[in-house]
């Protein structure tokens, strides 16, 4: 069973130790992407990383904890928590914060680099291990909380509202599908998903705002204050939103 304990990591505080840990993480991501969790071994990971055979235990506490770290790093590669927090903290309308997040996701999805993150996450989603809990709690949940604040401002509903929570799932579900979809889907089957990223963001906002407006009408308490007129009004992205969007496709939290 995968454990979330990661106490040995504290021992690798030196620059050399951190470099070794990052190398192990990058190589492990490649190996887990190729073989899956069940067939990947610490021995192969250490050998391919050029590290001592005991390095996985020393830096991560074992193969289980290393796999958890790989899952979290993979999710960070797709959309970093730091970039989402920056977008949410922008001094602009909530809709522009949402646009910044969606634009960053689209730019990452259509990026040409072939990274192991997508394959690792697809494997985990299709054949979940005990590591799925660490992925949900350590990688997904913090980003959900950030987005919940943005969507709450748009809807005028509290975070505990069922309507808000379902709205967030319906809003972000297609984003994750876009990130995890096979490249051939974008290049061969639905090329419009990759050929015009800006137009895709515009269309995503169109769908999102229409859906959120309907949810706001359905779940806002009778007599509750209506959402500001500007919340759902069509408008071009602000300059702040555009700048923040570019940050969402910057380097992942850990440089691999």
């Amino acid at each position: 069973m995968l454990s979330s304990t990661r106490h040995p990591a504290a021992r690798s505080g030196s620059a050399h130790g951190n470099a070794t840990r990052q190398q192990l993480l990058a190589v492990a991501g490649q190996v887990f992407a190729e073989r899956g969790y069940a067939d990947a071994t610490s021995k192969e990971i250490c050998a391919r990383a050029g590290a001592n055979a005991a390095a996985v235990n020393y830096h991560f506490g074992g193969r289980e904890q290393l796999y958890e770290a790989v899952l979290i790093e993979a999710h960070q590669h797709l959309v970093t928590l730091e970039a989402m927090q920056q977008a949410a903290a922008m001094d602009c309308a909530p809709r522009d914060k949402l646009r910044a997040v969606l634009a960053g996701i689209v730019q990452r999805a259509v990026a040409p680099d072939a990274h192991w993150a997508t394959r690792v996450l697809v494997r985990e989603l299709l054949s979940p291990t005990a590591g799925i809990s660490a992925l949900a709690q350590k990688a997904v949940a913090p980003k959900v909380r950030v987005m919940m604040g943005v969507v709450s401002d748009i809807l005028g509903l509290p975070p505990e509202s069922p309507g808000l929570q379902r709205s967030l799932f319906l809003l972000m579900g297609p984003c994750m599908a876009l990130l995890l979809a096979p490249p051939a889907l974008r290049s061969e089957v639905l090329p419009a998903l990759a050929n015009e990223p800006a137009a895709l963001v515009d269309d995503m906002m169109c769908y999102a705002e229409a859906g959120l407006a309907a949810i706001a009408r359905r779940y806002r308490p009778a007599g509750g204050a209506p959402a500001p007129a500007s919340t759902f009004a069509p408008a071009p992205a602000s300059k702040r939103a555009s700048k923040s969007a570019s940050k969402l496709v910057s380097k992942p939290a850990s440089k691999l």
Side-chain angles (χ1 to χ4, degrees):
M1 183 174 181
L2 300 185
S3 168
S4 59
T5 303
R6 296 177 59 184
H7 58 280
R11 293 183 291 179
S12 56
S14 67
H16 177 72
N18 286 333
T20 300
R21 188 178 190 279
Q22 288 304 114
Q23 177 66 6
L24 285 169
L25 193 60
V27 171
Q30 297 167 7
V31 175
F32 285 127
E34 294 168 7
R35 305 190 184 283
Y37 173 73
D39 295 329
T41 66
S42 295
K43 181 178 179 180
E44 179 181 1
I45 292 169
C46 290
R48 288 173 59 168
N52 183 282
V56 168
N57 286 335
Y58 180 82
H59 289 282
F60 295 92
R63 186 176 71 112
E64 296 86 354
Q65 294 91 334
L66 172 58
Y67 182 63
E68 288 184 1
V70 164
L71 289 176
I72 294 168
E73 186 68 33
H75 204 272
Q76 277 287 85
H77 176 80
L78 297 184
V79 183
T80 71
L81 173 61
E82 294 77 12
M84 294 182 77
Q85 290 171 330
Q86 290 173 9
M90 290 191 304
D91 182 19
C92 60
R95 71 178 309 279
D96 287 332
K97 298 178 182 182
L98 176 59
R99 175 182 283 274
V101 174
L102 295 182
I105 290 173
V106 167
Q107 290 182 47
R108 169 56 70 193
V110 302
D113 63 318
H115 195 271
W116 51 260
T118 299
R119 287 177 291 159
V120 165
L121 291 173
V122 168
R123 278 185 177 275
E124 181 61 26
L125 293 175
L126 292 178
S127 300
T129 68
I132 196 75
S133 177
L135 175 64
Q137 295 300 321
K138 297 180 180 181
V140 178
K143 297 172 187 176
V144 167
R145 286 192 286 270
V146 172
M147 290 306 300
M148 194 170 288
V150 173
V151 178
S152 177
D153 288 342
I154 292 175
L155 293 178
L157 296 173
E160 63 272 15
S161 167
L164 185 148
Q165 294 180 22
R166 287 193 280 266
S167 294
L168 182 58
F169 178 80
L170 294 171
L171 176 65
M172 301 309 295
C175 295
M176 292 309 299
L178 183 65
L179 288 166
L180 299 176
L185 177 66
R186 297 187 296 271
S187 61
E188 301 172 17
V189 182
L190 298 171
L193 294 178
N195 292 345
E196 299 179 273
L200 176 57
V201 174
D202 288 340
D203 290 346
M204 291 175 74
M205 282 297 297
C206 183
Y207 270 79
E209 290 179 318
L212 291 174
I215 290 293
R217 289 192 298 269
R218 179 175 181 180
Y219 285 97
R220 189 174 293 118
S230 60
T231 299
F232 301 109
S238 68
K239 292 182 179 180
R240 292 192 185 93
S242 298
K243 289 182 179 179
S244 179
S246 64
K247 294 179 181 179
L248 281 167
V249 292
S250 59
K251 299 175 184 176
S254 298
K255 188 176 181 181
L256 301 183

